[in-house]
Amino acid sequence: MDACHLCQGTNLPTAQRRSVRTSTNRTLQPVRCFKTSEMGTSDRQLSSNLESSAPRRPTGSASQQLLQAIRKQVRKETVPWFQGMLQPWLDGAPPPLTDTVPPEQLADFDSKFITVDGVRLHYKEAGSSGPGKPTVLLLHGLNGSTFSWRDVIQPLSQHGGIEGCRVIAFDRPPYGLSERPMTWPEGPEGNPYTSEAGARYAEGLLKALGVQQALVVGHSAGALTAMELFKRNPRIISGFCFVAPALPSASSSSRSSRSDGIGKSKDDDKKDSFIWRASLGQQLQRLYMRALLQNENAGVNYIRRSLQKRRDEVALGKLQVYADAGQQVQQKVIEGYLRPMLADNWDRGSLYSYRAFSFPSDMPYEAITQPVMFITGEKDGALTKGAKKVSELLQTEGNCKCEYAEYEGCGHVPMDEMPDKFMADLQRFVTDVASDRQPLPRGDTLTDRVDDAPLPLYPPSKTAPVQD
């Protein structure tokens, strides 16, 4: 920095200034430039202060350290991601699994199997139904199973309802010990791995077990299956309990554009979607992942690498679903979560499930007339925010009783993290629903139906919207 820049703005004597004309031709008296050696003591101090406050360019060693840090971060994060994405293509055809067995060989003493719609389903049940003793259907989430409800089934059957209740839980393909079909008929209802198929199996299981109506408890993506069951047959459901639900926050009615400006338009919903909010890099990753999973060999290789890595983490007790990451996990819990990976075709079943999965933009919440309860964890992030939005929508615009419970310090699995509180709330809700339950109209039970066509989505008291 030269002396000219140091002189600007200092209070030097008038004699040391020279005339300079501005663009307005007004004569000013700015400072005269001179060497630092000609300054007085106070002037040299000011020059030193200005120089010390001026920004400096990084030294060569600092620049090298910065570049090294960037390279290290890239090697740590980006390179492994590229390797993970490219390696499945390079591994070639996956060899057959040699450490798997038929699911029946992995069954517990209380396991049961039944064929529904051509697929062998694994389920468990406890208790019995009758007057004041409702039936409760438990639906697990992604990568869950009947094991997710291990501490719920028996206690709920004894204390839920007025005099106990019947509790049923089953494994939706491709999870748990249910069959994982490798082929299926063509058509919209052929694929066994969609959310709609999960609802079809749930309805078929209840029908096979002689259940006319059930209170449905859905955890995480199991809540999505519960809503698909409602869309398929609303009168089979006596109530909903959504536990840490993965649900869209928009109702079907609010998505339609309205001239009066009330509610959200389709354009607003589009802006809330992942595609609208995602960066270019995220969208490219999504497209690449879709292409990867559509390739049979690369897709199976990717699923095996990903889930086997996850298996190793779970084996160390790192479930990554609890709010308290340091929470002790019993060995029997670890083994229970890992057991389905010993069943035949777990890898391809998972691949076909990933291909089939899609998250809806809305659900017909406005058509729900059954009582609803939400149980969420404060530490469950976006899922808790979404559940709160849906509960507020039902409370303000819905046609049902709705209550919301959020557990402080709890994560994604309330039945594991806070089992006593969870069971107390669920038992009370089941009892309340059983007390208020109205008998089904004649001809509306599953056993009275002549065919398997879904019942109308909207109850008789509601008017279905006009279809274009």
Side-chain angles (χ1 to χ4, degrees), residues 21 126 132 152 249 255 272 309 316 323 347 365 370 415 455 459:
R21 290 189 178 276
V152 176
S249 57
R255 276 182 53 79
D272 288 339
K309 178 182 177 181
L316 297 175
D347 53 347
Y365 301 122
Q370 299 90 331
M415 55 274 202
L455 290 173

Side-chain angles (χ1 to χ4, degrees), residues 247-249 365 374 385-395:
L247 289 171
S249 57
Y365 301 122
F374 289 82
K385 294 180 181 178
K388 189 175 296 185
K389 287 183 179 180
V390 177
S391 69
E392 291 173 352
L393 185 151
L394 288 173
Q395 291 169 357

Side-chain angles (χ1 to χ4, degrees), residues 199-216:
R200 188 172 71 249
Y201 293 135
E203 182 188 27
L205 176 63
L206 293 177
K207 179 179 180 180
L209 298 179
V211 177
Q212 297 182 3
Q213 197 173 45
L215 187 155
V216 181

Side-chain angles (χ1 to χ4, degrees), residues 248-268:
S249 57
S251 67
S252 300
S253 61
S254 67
R255 276 182 53 79
S256 58
S257 299
R258 299 166 65 174
S259 59
D260 57 4
I262 300 175
K264 294 174 64 177
S265 68
K266 294 181 179 180
D267 289 338
D268 292 331

Side-chain angles (χ1 to χ4, degrees), residues 137-284:
L137 177 65
L138 305 176
L139 301 174
H140 63 77
L142 296 180
N143 298 313
S145 66
T146 55
F147 185 77
S148 303
W149 307 107
R150 63 195 177 280
D151 296 327
V152 176
I153 297 175
Q154 195 64 39
L156 184 61
S157 70
Q158 297 172 352
H159 304 290
I162 300 173
E163 298 180 359
C165 61
R166 184 182 185 184
V167 181
I168 302 170
F170 82 101
D171 295 334
R172 297 194 317 279
Y175 306 114
L177 303 184
S178 286
E179 179 187 359
R180 294 154 171 86
M182 294 293 97
T183 60
W184 51 86
E186 296 183 0
E189 290 203 350
N191 193 324
Y193 298 109
T194 63
S195 296
E196 294 82 359
R200 188 172 71 249
Y201 293 135
E203 182 188 27
L205 176 63
L206 293 177
K207 179 179 180 180
L209 298 179
V211 177
Q212 297 182 3
Q213 197 173 45
L215 187 155
V216 181
V217 181
H219 173 240
S220 192
L224 202 60
T225 304
M227 286 302 302
E228 291 292 346
L229 177 59
F230 174 74
K231 290 167 61 177
R232 183 178 181 84
N233 187 352
R235 296 178 192 172
I236 200 174
I237 299 176
S238 60
F240 295 93
C241 181
F242 296 132
V243 183
L247 289 171
S249 57
S251 67
S252 300
S253 61
S254 67
R255 276 182 53 79
S256 58
S257 299
R258 299 166 65 174
S259 59
D260 57 4
I262 300 175
K264 294 174 64 177
S265 68
K266 294 181 179 180
D267 289 338
D268 292 331
D269 289 324
K270 182 179 70 172
K271 294 178 181 179
D272 288 339
S273 68
F274 169 80
I275 296 298
W276 182 275
R277 292 180 287 106
S279 65
L280 176 61
Q282 289 174 321
Q283 294 191 41
L284 291 176

